Amino acid sequence: MAYTLKVNGKTHTVDVPADMPLLWVLRDVLDLKGTKYGCGIGQCGSCTVHKDGTPTRACRTTVAASEGASIVTIEGLAPNAGTLTALQQAWDELDVPQCGYCQAGQLMTAAALLARTPKPTDEQIDTAMNGNLCRCATYLRIKAAIRKAAGTEQPATTPAGRPGDDNA
């Protein structure tokens, strides 16, 4: 069956089974490889995209449920090719990624947070990012990048008992 999706501002018609996860439509049909497959059960957040502005697990969302929705992937996060959003710039400046596998999902969740809460508190950041797992444990850098993008950076501190180690 044919479904029409608006992905990163472009309209696409795909002929796939109704129960095909949006993740596989994005990766295998539309060749947008930035959205990652992690757990396949919506628990890790690696496959997070925006569906009508809401962070959504693409591995658990069918193409039929996405018909007519506006989908934004990591490839479409920045408004112009070759430019970065303030969040992506902060991510880069703070060297947030380690292995990088979860980073597309982390960025998409963080971008949705900043869109609805431009100056989030630490508690709001923790709540929003709670469902995104990072096997490299870059959580402190992720939080710092969100703060930097929001303009609410906190001065660097050295953890007690670990001089010179910033846990980065």
Side-chain angles (χ1 to χ4, degrees):
M1 184 167 179
Y3 295 93
T4 300
L5 304 172
K6 186 174 181 182
V7 180
N8 299 333
K10 296 179 182 172
T11 301
H12 301 271
T13 300
V14 296
D15 189 8
V16 297
D19 61 349
M20 184 176 212
L22 177 61
L23 174 64
W24 301 126
V25 172
L26 296 170
R27 289 184 57 82
D28 296 346
V29 178
L30 300 179
D31 201 32
L32 295 168
K33 306 290 189 190
T35 305
K36 303 299 185 203
Y37 173 79
C39 65
I41 57 173
Q43 296 295 308
C44 74
S46 293
C47 66
T48 303
V49 298
H50 295 175
K51 178 180 166 192
D52 292 329
T54 301
T56 302
R57 304 295 198 243
C59 73
R60 301 292 295 166
T61 304
T62 65
V63 68
S66 305
E67 169 92 319
S70 177
I71 307 295
V72 177
T73 69
I74 190 69
E75 292 91 343
L77 188 58
N80 302 309
T83 62
L84 299 176
T85 64
L87 181 63
Q88 290 169 310
Q89 186 67 39
W91 226 260
D92 182 54
E93 290 172 8
L94 297 177
D95 292 325
V96 171
Q98 191 160 321
C99 84
Y101 198 83
C102 69
Q103 297 302 303
Q106 301 276 2
L107 277 162
M108 296 307 289
T109 300
L113 167 66
L114 292 174
R116 70 177 180 275
T117 310
K119 304 278 186 205
T121 64
D122 282 351
E123 183 178 359
Q124 290 169 318
I125 294 171
D126 290 344
T127 298
M129 302 306 294
N130 189 35
N132 286 75
L133 303 179
C134 175
R135 64 185 177 190
C136 303
T138 62
Y139 300 111
L140 295 177
R141 291 195 307 246
I142 289 169
K143 185 183 279 187
I146 294 170
R147 285 187 200 130
K148 184 176 181 89
T152 60
E153 289 179 86
Q154 295 180 347
T157 60
T158 300
R162 302 183 71 184
D165 183 354
D166 64 358
N167 285 334

